[in-house]
Amino acid sequence: MTTEITSFRGGGNRLPASHLIGIASIVLFFLGLGQTRKAILEGDVMLGGLFPVHQKGLKTKCGAIFKDRGIQRLEAMLFAVEKINSDPTLLEKIKLGAIILDTCSSDSYALNQSLEFIRASINTVDATTFECADGSAPTMKFTTKAITGVVGGSYSEVSLQVANLLRLFKIPQISPASTGTSLSDKTRYDFFARTVPPDTFQAIALVDLVQSFNWSYVSLVSSEGQYGDSGMTAFQKEARSRNICIAVNEKVPHSATEEVFDSIYQNLLQKISARGVVLFTRAEDAAGVLRAAMRSRKHVFTWVASDGWGKQEKLVEDLERAAEGAITVELASTEIAEFNDYMKNLTPATNIRNPWFEEYWESVFSCTLPENVKPNSNSSVVVCSPNLRLDESVGYNQESKVQFVVDAVYAFAHALDKVWRDLCEPKGEAHCHEMRTLDGATLYLDYILNVSFTAEIDARKERQLKREQRLKKILEASTPSSIYEEKFEPIIREQRWKKYIGG
């Protein structure tokens, strides 16, 4: 059976590749993406990475640094690439590399950043096909290697935008965190895969929790965008099937102000008999609702939250009173001990490949690196000691999606390893011509979606539920044989925030 992949949907004919290249080149010229900050690890085969290194800015494109979700996930990709390169059983004669960019937690900003990957692809030309007038070999103006695939994004709305761009150039994408249900539509996102399940499973788990408390009347707050919308829709559908009514249904708009959060909380108080409130929100929106609760000084609700809140303890700093008793859902993942060792050995002096690490370091330790101290700074500036190291005493804990980032990188590595064994090994070559010119659709359909390796997640006992999951294949496919077991169930993690002490 032959499957034809069309670059454009809805039209009769495919736009010529030369037109695509011309359009992209013009866009890239005006955007001036040559100045893009990036983390680079050189290799024979290059993967792109997209992570929310910074939060979305209110008046600027990028806000404060995302210490856990951003930097840890970025470093997890670099960690995985290095592990693969040191593994003699994977890509034995080929070095894997990476180019990682910051999405600033914004879909539009991420789309602009992703054009850097397209530029790398359209600037890759086989110099052997050209000859100068004097017979000498031409000198290439651009030497950037093509991007074979992309790991990211994190937010579902980011992945939606990026997937629409990458599919035009047949660049496969694997997300380690985007759970929006729309991304399961392979007729629209035909080069997208992920190492996490869609929100449908999470919504079922949240309804299970509500039902376990014998609640039949709850309120719902969701974030505007793909993540919140798909989660809200799935929760409502499941709740209706179990005769659970929604008292208040509030949506948090993008860039919501304190006044907006206060209004949402006041609306929840109008239906105070619905003591359970389900949050299907991004982390910053969950924190916004909690801050509104603190300002109202009326702490009457029990929060049941999705993985947007998950197990992020930093989210509830100074908000413990409002968060007390909350129960959150988190996808089951295994903590990688070796990654903890890797992070704890990083310093600004040794980690020069990450252009955002100095900013991260200064944020974690609330100090300024000696080289960043301005000449006329006053004596109150705290200078970072060279003896500082990351550990639990400064709030370091492995972020919950680190494992899924590592899984995504390994999925590409296993797929590329199979490509090498099929096309290059029989010829006794390393990175052979057939592998370098392999069509992205073939890589995605024939290799990536057929990657299979087992990851076992240890069972955890919780107050409400005990779950166990076994991930048989790590990529979501549109075929009848789902990558997840039919009885896949996400972990439910109960968070008991310490008792508020004070007035």
Side-chain angles (χ1 to χ4, degrees):
M1 178 179 178
T2 302
T3 303
E4 182 178 351
I5 303 299
T6 305
S7 294
F8 281 84
R9 304 287 179 182
N13 298 315
R14 180 184 301 179
L15 191 67
S18 59
H19 290 191
L20 283 176
I21 292 175
I23 292 169
S25 299
I26 293 170
V27 172
L28 288 165
F29 174 80
F30 283 108
L31 286 174
L33 287 175
Q35 304 302 317
T36 300
R37 293 173 72 191
K38 64 197 83 170
I40 300 179
L41 194 62
E42 294 294 345
D44 303 313
V45 178
M46 301 297 291
L47 296 180
L50 288 170
F51 299 102
V53 178
H54 290 88
Q55 299 176 39
K56 187 176 183 179
L58 294 177
K59 296 182 179 180
T60 59
K61 291 181 180 178
C62 301
I65 197 158
F66 238 145
K67 289 184 281 193
D68 295 330
R69 288 191 169 195
I71 292 296
Q72 280 203 44
R73 293 181 190 180
L74 181 156
E75 291 294 345
M77 182 171 179
L78 295 175
F79 165 81
V81 169
E82 287 187 334
K83 288 287 295 178
I84 290 163
N85 286 336
S86 64
D87 186 346
T89 66
L90 266 181
L91 295 172
E92 180 181 354
K93 297 181 179 180
I94 297 174
K95 184 180 178 182
L96 197 60
I99 299 177
I100 305 177
L101 306 174
D102 180 12
T103 67
C104 289
S105 308
S106 164
D107 53 355
S108 58
Y109 188 82
L111 184 62
N112 287 343
Q113 292 291 88
S114 299
L115 290 170
E116 176 77 6
F117 300 144
I118 306 304
R119 185 183 72 171
S121 297
I122 65 178
N123 285 335
T124 301
V125 181
D126 187 357
T128 61
T129 61
F130 299 92
E131 185 179 90
C132 297
D134 60 0
S136 63
T139 300
M140 301 303 296
K141 183 176 181 181
F142 301 103
T143 57
T144 307
K145 292 188 176 74
I147 298 299
T148 300
V150 173
V151 175
S154 290
Y155 293 113
S156 295
E157 45 268 40
V158 167
S159 286
L160 284 169
Q161 293 280 9
V162 173
N164 279 323
L165 174 66
L166 296 181
R167 66 184 292 274
L168 301 179
F169 296 88
K170 298 183 180 181
I171 299 176
Q173 173 189 0
I174 304 177
S175 169
S178 297
T179 56
T181 54
S182 295
L183 289 162
S184 297
D185 184 355
K186 294 301 181 225
T187 63
R188 297 176 61 192
Y189 307 106
D190 44 355
F191 283 83
F192 177 85
R194 51 184 162 191
T195 57
V196 289
D199 287 328
T200 310
F201 295 102
Q202 204 173 162
I204 293 172
L206 290 170
V207 176
D208 282 346
L209 271 175
V210 168
Q211 198 167 48
S212 71
F213 290 124
N214 293 319
W215 292 338
S216 58
Y217 193 54
V218 296
S219 291
L220 175 62
V221 180
S222 59
S223 293
E224 183 179 16
Q226 172 57 209
Y227 174 72
D229 291 345
S230 65
M232 175 191 66
T233 301
F235 180 87
Q236 287 180 308
K237 180 180 179 181
E238 188 66 23
R240 279 196 299 269
S241 71
R242 305 195 205 180
N243 297 317
I244 296 172
C245 298
I246 308 297
V248 177
N249 188 353
E250 289 287 331
K251 187 180 294 292
V252 181
H254 292 301
S255 304
T257 62
E258 284 189 356
E259 289 74 19
V260 171
F261 284 113
D262 288 340
S263 175
I264 289 172
Y265 195 74
Q266 290 303 314
N267 289 340
L268 293 175
L269 290 173
Q270 295 300 312
K271 299 287 185 177
I272 201 168
S273 57
R275 292 300 180 95
V277 178
V278 177
L279 300 179
F280 223 112
T281 59
R282 290 162 54 135
E284 52 269 39
D285 291 341
V289 173
L290 294 178
R291 281 192 288 269
M294 293 293 288
R295 287 191 293 271
S296 77
R297 298 185 180 180
K298 295 178 181 179
H299 310 295
V300 296
F301 298 116
T302 297
W303 310 105
V304 180
S306 67
D307 71 330
W309 177 343
K311 59 180 182 179
Q312 298 182 74
E313 294 186 9
K314 291 185 182 296
L315 185 148
V316 297
E317 284 182 357
D318 302 321
L319 302 173
E320 289 86 357
R321 185 174 184 181
E324 184 184 355
I327 299 171
T328 68
V329 173
E330 182 64 79
L331 298 178
S333 60
T334 298
E335 186 168 293
I336 303 172
E338 195 173 348
F339 178 75
N340 288 336
D341 296 336
Y342 165 85
M343 285 294 295
K344 291 176 181 180
N345 283 312
L346 292 178
T347 68
T350 60
N351 192 19
I352 58 175
R353 65 191 179 190
N354 182 346
W356 303 284
F357 197 75
E358 286 190 0
E359 183 183 355
Y360 166 76
W361 194 264
E362 292 180 339
S363 178
V364 168
F365 294 103
S366 301
C367 63
T368 303
L369 290 164
E371 56 269 31
N372 295 336
V373 176
K374 297 179 181 178
N376 298 324
S377 298
N378 58 48
S379 58
S380 63
V381 174
V382 179
V383 179
C384 300
S385 165
N387 299 321
L388 294 175
R389 292 294 183 274
L390 291 171
D391 59 29
E392 289 73 15
S393 69
V394 292
Y396 170 79
N397 285 294
Q398 188 171 132
E399 201 269 334
S400 62
K401 299 295 193 300
V402 163
Q403 179 207 325
F404 302 124
V405 175
V406 173
D407 284 347
V409 179
Y410 267 84
F412 273 118
H414 279 281
L416 291 168
D417 184 71
K418 184 66 165 59
V419 170
W420 177 76
R421 294 184 188 282
D422 287 352
L423 304 180
C424 303
E425 188 180 30
K427 301 169 62 177
E429 297 181 17
H431 194 200
C432 62
H433 175 75
E434 289 79 4
M435 185 174 183
R436 289 196 304 272
T437 58
L438 182 68
D439 182 70
T442 302
L443 173 62
Y444 178 80
L445 294 170
D446 295 350
Y447 292 93
I448 291 177
L449 291 186
N450 287 314
V451 165
S452 178
F453 56 94
T454 301
E456 292 194 17
I457 308 300
D458 57 336
R460 303 179 186 185
K461 295 181 180 179
E462 304 292 346
R463 182 181 174 196
Q464 270 70 39
L465 299 168
K466 182 172 71 174
R467 302 297 196 206
E468 180 179 333
Q469 80 168 16
R470 181 188 298 268
L471 190 59
K472 282 192 171 179
K473 286 186 180 180
I474 71 165
L475 300 174
E476 183 188 18
S478 56
T479 55
S481 55
S482 173
I483 63 160
Y484 301 103
E485 288 192 61
E486 292 181 6
K487 294 183 179 180
F488 173 88
E489 294 172 325
I491 286 282
I492 305 297
R493 173 178 293 276
E494 180 192 6
Q495 293 286 35
R496 285 290 175 188
W497 311 111
K498 58 186 177 182
K499 196 84 171 176
Y500 175 81
I501 301 174

